[in-house]
């Protein structure tokens, strides 16, 4: 398995960090929602992020939660200095992503933090924002189905449903897919943040999808399930050469490395949907759009994948399980379950795992499934 960026939740509730150095960039030339808008800010750890309004953005398209920003500021890693075993999170209710255990909920409220140690999802709860056209919704649906067919990720469409638990008064974590119109960047948060988190898709993401390439939408969804950029691997300099001379300050910010708490297995994955291509048309990122931002060590070019690669799948399949939406507390697994090496479990293995998740009971109660159409 390659990079297993595992983001453990930090314990602090302290919000925004103190930032040391602000540097204004020139106003963007195109007068649109360009990524040169905002300031490049150097954090205490030396990592550069971009501040746009009240948002801090890492590596071009990842919006940092306050906890992640604080961890990045202090430790150089959005996971902070916490270490722990990698394991699947099986403590959440699949549909709501709230803890199954009432005691955990009580503790959560007392402590004021989200209780699960990891920022993974059970099922990925999402809604379609009302600003999406039906065509755009269709493209997002295709991207979701693509991910479901190749990985253990499962998505739960909660459009029009409550966003807050009526009993406990806690907001459900969920993705809000929305359109942001003309922009040269689409955005996402990294991992499950808690409450509503936007996946903001620019026109070009849908334009690509209209040509059959769902790569941008899949890329942003993969951020939301916890993945980082391939080119931010700490060992990336063994595999790629950054063309620093061609990068603007804003461009350099896209090639910050993750310094610590960064799990991965395997070599650099040139086919990852999470890796940038060598070229960009964004004049705020490079001085010359006809020269690459970076290349492979042999000088050849990289191209961003349009779907999850085998190694992307291994990252996801190692950490996620394919749940079925149910109204009861039984954790039912879908018919196809992959292990961390992308091998499909036998039916016997699947039932064993399902029993393990349900106090030894391999048989879901009848009638508990709830509709889940995209
Ligand atoms: Zn990205």
């Amino acid at each position: 398995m390659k990079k297993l960026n595992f983001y453990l939740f930090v314990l602090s509730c302290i919000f925004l960090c103190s930032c040391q150095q602000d540097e204004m960039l020139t106003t963007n030339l195109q007068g649109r929602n360009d990524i040169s808008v905002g300031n490049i800010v150097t954090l205490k750890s030396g990592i550069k992020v971009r501040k746009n309004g009240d948002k801090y953005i890492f590596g071009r398209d990842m919006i940092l939660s306050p906890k992640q920003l604080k961890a990045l500021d202090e430790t150089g890693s959005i996971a902070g200095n916490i270490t722990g075993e990698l394991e699947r999170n099986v403590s959440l209710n699949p549909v709501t992503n709230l803890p199954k255990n009432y005691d955990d909920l009580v503790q959560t409220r007392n402590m004021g933090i989200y209780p699960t140690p990891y920022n993974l999802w059970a099922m990925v709860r999402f809604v379609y924002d009302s600003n999406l056209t039906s065509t755009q919704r269709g493209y997002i649906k295709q991207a979701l189905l693509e991910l479901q067919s190749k990985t253990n990720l499962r998505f739960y469409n909660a459009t029009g449903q409550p966003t807050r638990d009526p009993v406990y008064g806690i907001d459900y974590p969920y993705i809000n897919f929305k359109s942001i119109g003309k922009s040269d960047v689409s955005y996402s948060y990294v991992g499950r943040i808690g409450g509503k988190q936007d996946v903001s898709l620019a026109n070009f993401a849908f334009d690509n999808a209209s040509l059959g390439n769902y790569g941008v939408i899949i890329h942003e969804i993969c951020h939301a399930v916890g993945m980082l950029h391939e080119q931010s691997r700490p060992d990336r300099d063994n595999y790629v050469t950054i063309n620093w001379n061609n990068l603007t300050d804003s461009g350099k910010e896209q090639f910050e490395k993750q310094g610590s708490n960064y799990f991965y297995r395997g070599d650099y994955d040139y086919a990852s949907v999470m890796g940038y291509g060598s070229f960009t048309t964004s004049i705020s990122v490079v001085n010359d759009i006809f020269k690459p931002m970076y290349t492979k060590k042999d000088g050849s070019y990289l191209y961003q994948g349009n779907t999850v690669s085998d190694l992307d799948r291994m990252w996801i399949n190692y950490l996620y399980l394919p749940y079925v939406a149910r109204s009861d507390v039984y954790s039912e697994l879908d018919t196809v379950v992959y292990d961390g090496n992308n091998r499909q479990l036998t039916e016997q293995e699947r039932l064993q795992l399902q029993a393990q998740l349900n106090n030894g009971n391999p048989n879901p109660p009848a009638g508990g499934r709830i509709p889940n159409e995209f």
Side-chain angles (χ1 to χ4, degrees), residues 91-254:
S91 65
L92 299 178
N93 177 301
V95 168
T96 66
N97 285 279
L98 295 179
K100 291 175 186 169
N101 188 327
Y102 174 78
D103 291 340
D104 290 342
L105 278 172
V106 172
Q107 189 183 30
T108 305
R109 301 178 84 180
N110 289 345
M111 293 180 65
I113 59 167
Y114 200 79
T116 56
Y118 312 129
N119 61 358
L120 302 175
W121 302 78
M123 294 183 82
V124 183
R125 190 179 175 96
F126 76 93
V127 304
Y128 294 114
D129 194 285
S130 57
N131 84 346
L132 293 167
T133 66
S134 59
T135 304
Q136 290 170 333
R137 284 173 65 139
Y139 293 145
I140 294 167
K141 173 181 173 176
Q142 286 308 311
L144 297 174
L145 292 177
E146 168 82 1
L147 282 166
Q148 290 200 156
S149 72
K150 291 188 167 167
T151 73
N152 286 344
L153 287 175
R154 291 296 180 274
F155 299 88
Y156 177 72
N157 183 1
T159 305
Q161 296 183 16
T163 59
R164 175 175 271 254
D165 190 279
V167 177
Y168 304 117
I170 294 175
D171 291 333
Y172 299 133
Y174 68 100
I175 288 173
N176 179 55
F177 287 110
K178 70 174 187 181
S179 164
I180 55 169
K182 190 174 181 182
S183 164
D184 63 355
V185 190
S186 297
Y187 296 98
S188 178
Y189 289 84
V190 181
R192 174 170 52 81
I193 301 300
K196 177 185 179 183
Q197 62 185 84
D198 288 331
V199 167
S200 304
L201 298 169
N203 285 350
F204 76 93
F206 298 117
D207 292 344
N208 288 359
S210 73
L211 301 171
N213 179 354
Y214 299 92
V216 176
I217 302 175
I218 289 173
H219 176 102
E220 300 305 335
I221 295 170
C222 285
H223 277 317
V225 301
M227 298 182 80
L228 288 176
H229 291 146
E230 192 69 9
Q231 71 269 12
S232 70
R233 281 170 64 127
D235 63 346
R236 62 105 192 277
D237 293 321
N238 299 332
Y239 301 93
V240 297
T241 303
I242 313 291
N243 191 5
W244 294 108
N245 289 336
N246 193 32
L247 293 171
T248 63
D249 283 352
S250 186
K252 288 172 184 164
E253 174 246 328
Q254 297 179 25

Side-chain angles (χ1 to χ4, degrees), residues 58-62 186 219-220 223 228-229 274 276 304:
F58 179 55
R60 183 180 170 94
D61 69 337
M62 291 173 277
S186 297
H219 176 102
E220 300 305 335
H223 277 317
L228 288 176
H229 291 146
M274 303 313 288
Y276 284 172
Q304 183 163 3

Side-chain angles (χ1 to χ4, degrees), residues 326-332 354 358 361-369:
R326 296 182 64 91
S327 57
D328 56 24
V329 296
Y330 191 89
S331 295
E332 182 178 357
Q354 189 163 270
N358 295 283
N361 177 12
N363 303 310
R369 290 190 177 191

Side-chain angles (χ1 to χ4, degrees), residues 58 73 93 157 251 275 324 327 345 353 373:
F58 179 55
D73 184 50
N93 177 301
N157 183 1
V324 172
S327 57
L345 299 192
L353 182 56
E373 295 294 325

